[in-house]
Amino acid sequence: MMISPHNDKAQHTHISSFWSSPSLNLGLILVIPSVVLLVLVSTLVPHPSTFSPLSSPWKWRYGGHWYSSIFNGSSTDSPFMEAETDKLAPNMSSSDALIDKDVDNVTSTTRVVKRSSKLEMVEAYMARARSSIKEAARVRNLTSIHQDPDYVPHGPIYRNANAFHRSYLEMEKLFKIYVYQEGEPPMFHNGPCKSIYSSEGRFIHEVEKGKFYTTQDPDEALVYFLPFSVAMLVRYLYESESLKTDAIGRIVIDYIHVISGKYPYWNRSLGADHFMLSCHDWGPLASSYVPHLFNKSIRVLCNANTSEGFTPDKDASFPEINLLKGEADIGGLPPSRRSILAFFAGHLHGYIRYLLLNEWKDKNDPDVQVYDQLPKGVSYMSKLKNSRFCLCPSGYEVASPRIVEAIYAECVPVLISDGYVAPFSDVLNWKSFSVQITVKDIPNIKRILMGISQRQYLRMQRRVKQVQRHFVVNPTPKRYDVFHMINHSIWLRRLNVHIQDFGVP
């Protein structure tokens, strides 16, 4: 658009009268204080990079625990549900997608074409997934309406079967993990597979195989895996005599500095799209700077203790599974042949077990059988398979492998803990297939369990059998098993974060 030049004298007269007008003076009196206030605010409010020791030129924003309300059947809107979903033309591939935008003051035959960054494409796909899951949550049926050749989620074991199924299917299409290659075994890219920490090792090994969800292109990844094993770090670096954990903290901090210096991904999100996984006690790292380093990251923990900083909307709980033989023993007696009301056997670990053993160990009650050590010749697994309810008290840590042992034995688990977030509780309705007893009600265990009717017990026991598939460890992962459920928990947390790359022109 061309602008005609003014006469210099006329222009000077116009400017003089403008600056001397009373209305301008009044406007300046009103505007100048506002400008000064804005400058002060922009100076005093911390830049996002100050939230992390590692400076970041990018920004990210957090959408809150939106999926909790979604899976509970709520129609509450998420800040990201209304994100633009038209950034990608439907027939464009992710490798060469273009964004065509009309520009004002440009002739109708001219269009400005902007090449989308991979991050923008990833976020556009994520926006569509959020919208799809939200729409699925409007269906309140107990059975998913989506077709699936392997399994259709159904029944009250789910908070919202249709929303979970839609989310799972979206995960299978979109979820991609980039595993950092830095680090050497045995503390990196490795983990225990036949121990109480087998959940940690099994997941690491399956991800390292690269058969599910992983990508070799970090630019197309949704999340980035920090492949250290806390169990292995403790085994090789923990100084048991002095109780020092400094070496463990240093190696984790050094690893973050290495990958943040070599790649842009940690700094652009302050670690919000990165995850680490630990079934070992998080305590060896709690006294160091490490927890602050993961303030924004996704922590996938067996020890999901809210009193120790576990944040359910950011962190994910996954099950502690004790696979001493490398495989699970699944199945049990039918309900009509289970003669024991409640059973527990375990050593004195932590104050909750102390209260349980102190209250029930020496009562010799045939209904509630509690042992610190089983009599000679008595099989632990046979007791589980012969019990209607299996007591699962926390030990030194809130997580217990007895929860999964009970599910495998088709025994209704009784959770006794403080501050524990049960695995996959975003999508699973634990109240439908387990009993949760507060610590103060330990003396009332028998009365509470006897108060559950036979009809209700049979319903719960059937649901335990149904929910088994989500806790089974398969040699090669199968859809909906524990490996895929752990990934689904991470997927949900990534849906909470929207990352914007301001470095893209």
Side-chain angles (χ1 to χ4, degrees):
M1 175 179 178
M2 299 298 295
I3 301 176
S4 301
H6 292 287
N7 178 273
D8 288 345
K9 183 177 180 180
Q11 183 178 11
H12 176 75
T13 302
H14 174 72
I15 293 173
S16 298
S17 61
F18 173 76
W19 283 102
S20 62
S21 65
S23 60
L24 174 65
N25 293 333
L26 178 60
L28 291 175
I29 291 173
L30 295 175
V31 170
I32 289 175
S34 301
V35 173
V36 172
L37 179 61
L38 287 173
V39 171
L40 287 174
V41 169
S42 64
T43 304
L44 295 176
V45 173
H47 190 274
S49 63
T50 63
F51 298 147
S52 168
L54 305 173
S55 179
S56 172
W58 290 276
K59 296 180 182 178
W60 67 281
R61 56 190 178 96
Y62 170 64
H65 200 178
W66 70 268
Y67 53 79
S68 177
S69 60
I70 292 294
F71 291 139
N72 275 306
S74 169
S75 59
T76 303
D77 288 345
S78 159
F80 299 129
M81 291 302 183
E82 298 176 357
E84 302 105 318
T85 57
D86 58 348
K87 287 187 175 180
L88 296 180
N91 296 322
M92 291 182 179
S93 67
S94 60
S95 60
D96 59 2
L98 300 177
I99 298 178
D100 294 346
K101 295 182 178 179
D102 289 313
V103 179
D104 292 338
N105 300 322
V106 179
T107 60
S108 59
T109 59
T110 305
R111 296 177 68 82
V112 173
V113 180
K114 178 194 170 199
R115 182 170 295 277
S116 170
S117 73
K118 286 189 176 181
L119 178 59
E120 288 176 322
M121 290 186 283
V122 164
E123 291 300 332
Y125 288 136
M126 294 285 283
R128 288 180 175 178
R130 295 183 192 105
S131 181
S132 175
I133 297 167
K134 179 186 175 183
E135 187 63 29
R138 300 183 189 279
V139 177
R140 306 298 177 86
N141 297 343
L142 288 178
T143 300
S144 170
I145 62 173
H146 303 291
Q147 300 297 315
D148 198 309
D150 295 323
Y151 174 69
V152 176
H154 62 280
I157 68 168
Y158 301 105
R159 294 180 179 273
N160 186 310
N162 200 55
F164 164 59
H165 200 189
R166 181 72 263 164
S167 176
Y168 188 93
L169 296 176
E170 292 288 346
M171 175 191 72
E172 290 185 317
K173 290 191 299 183
L174 300 175
F175 194 51
K176 285 183 173 26
I177 303 170
Y178 180 75
V179 182
Y180 287 112
Q181 298 303 304
E182 288 68 25
E184 297 291 335
M187 292 180 287
F188 293 84
H189 309 284
N190 182 45
C193 291
K194 293 183 180 181
S195 75
I196 197 171
Y197 307 122
S198 63
S199 297
E200 180 178 317
R202 289 295 185 104
F203 183 88
I204 293 172
H205 280 275
E206 287 300 336
V207 169
E208 291 286 339
K209 288 178 183 177
K211 293 183 179 180
F212 299 95
Y213 307 116
T214 54
T215 177
Q216 298 300 313
D217 181 0
D219 286 328
E220 69 177 17
L222 290 184
V223 293
Y224 302 84
F225 181 40
L226 305 168
F228 58 82
S229 165
V230 175
M232 303 304 282
L233 290 173
V234 171
R235 178 186 297 181
Y236 289 98
L237 299 178
Y238 180 58
E239 300 176 24
S240 57
E241 293 182 1
S242 62
L243 303 180
K244 287 186 177 179
T245 61
D246 296 351
I248 299 175
R250 281 196 302 271
I251 197 170
V252 173
I253 292 171
D254 288 346
Y255 190 79
I256 299 300
H257 279 287
V258 167
I259 60 103
S260 65
K262 187 174 181 180
Y263 306 93
Y265 311 108
W266 176 278
N267 285 344
R268 78 178 180 187
S269 68
L270 307 181
D273 54 356
H274 287 58
F275 76 96
M276 53 79 60
L277 179 136
S278 173
C279 211
H280 195 285
D281 172 20
W282 184 243
L285 297 176
S287 59
S288 66
Y289 183 72
V290 173
H292 300 286
L293 205 58
F294 291 102
N295 275 344
K296 302 291 184 291
S297 302
I298 302 166
R299 297 182 306 163
V300 187
L301 305 176
C302 285
N303 185 34
N305 190 345
T306 56
S307 68
E308 295 181 0
F310 182 88
T311 308
D313 56 357
K314 179 186 74 68
D315 301 325
S317 172
F318 79 118
E320 189 171 293
I321 304 175
N322 191 3
L323 294 178
L324 294 177
K325 297 180 180 179
E327 56 185 32
D329 182 6
I330 298 177
L333 295 176
S336 60
R337 295 177 55 193
R338 293 180 180 249
S339 60
I340 304 170
L341 176 67
F343 166 73
F344 170 79
H347 296 300
L348 181 59
H349 291 161
Y351 82 99
I352 294 180
R353 289 198 193 180
Y354 168 79
L355 295 175
L356 179 66
L357 290 167
N358 187 60
E359 181 69 33
W360 290 99
K361 186 184 75 166
D362 297 323
K363 283 196 172 180
N364 296 319
D365 189 319
D367 292 325
V368 181
Q369 299 186 18
V370 174
Y371 305 89
D372 59 352
Q373 189 168 347
L374 280 172
K376 218 171 193 181
V378 176
S379 165
Y380 177 73
M381 288 308 300
S382 66
K383 285 284 187 180
L384 286 177
K385 294 173 182 291
N386 193 34
S387 299
R388 294 159 68 88
F389 298 94
C390 291
L391 305 181
C392 308
S394 296
Y396 287 127
E397 304 302 331
V398 291
S400 170
R402 283 164 178 77
I403 297 173
V404 175
E405 288 172 352
I407 292 173
Y408 284 175
E410 297 169 2
C411 176
V412 176
V414 179
L415 279 59
I416 310 172
S417 65
D418 280 333
Y420 179 52
V421 178
F424 317 137
S425 54
D426 309 302
V427 296
L428 296 181
N429 176 20
W430 278 81
K431 291 182 179 180
S432 72
F433 59 89
S434 71
V435 179
Q436 300 176 32
I437 293 180
T438 61
V439 174
K440 68 179 181 180
D441 278 328
I442 286 177
N444 304 318
I445 284 176
K446 184 173 182 177
R447 179 179 60 82
I448 292 171
L449 298 181
M450 292 288 285
I452 297 174
S453 68
Q454 175 70 1
R455 182 179 179 184
Q456 177 63 10
Y457 161 71
L458 292 174
R459 280 199 296 259
M460 295 177 77
Q461 202 267 347
R462 284 196 300 270
R463 293 166 188 167
V464 168
K465 294 176 69 173
Q466 181 188 352
V467 86
Q468 271 181 351
R469 70 169 58 245
H470 298 313
F471 293 88
V472 170
V473 179
N474 292 301
T476 299
K478 297 179 181 179
R479 298 179 71 217
Y480 300 99
D481 70 3
V482 69
F483 174 76
H484 293 282
M485 290 297 288
I486 294 171
N487 279 288
H488 184 259
S489 293
I490 300 167
W491 153 258
L492 288 181
R493 271 79 191 163
R494 179 59 178 86
L495 284 172
N496 263 353
V497 179
H498 182 198
I499 301 167
Q500 294 173 290
D501 185 349
F502 290 101
V504 176

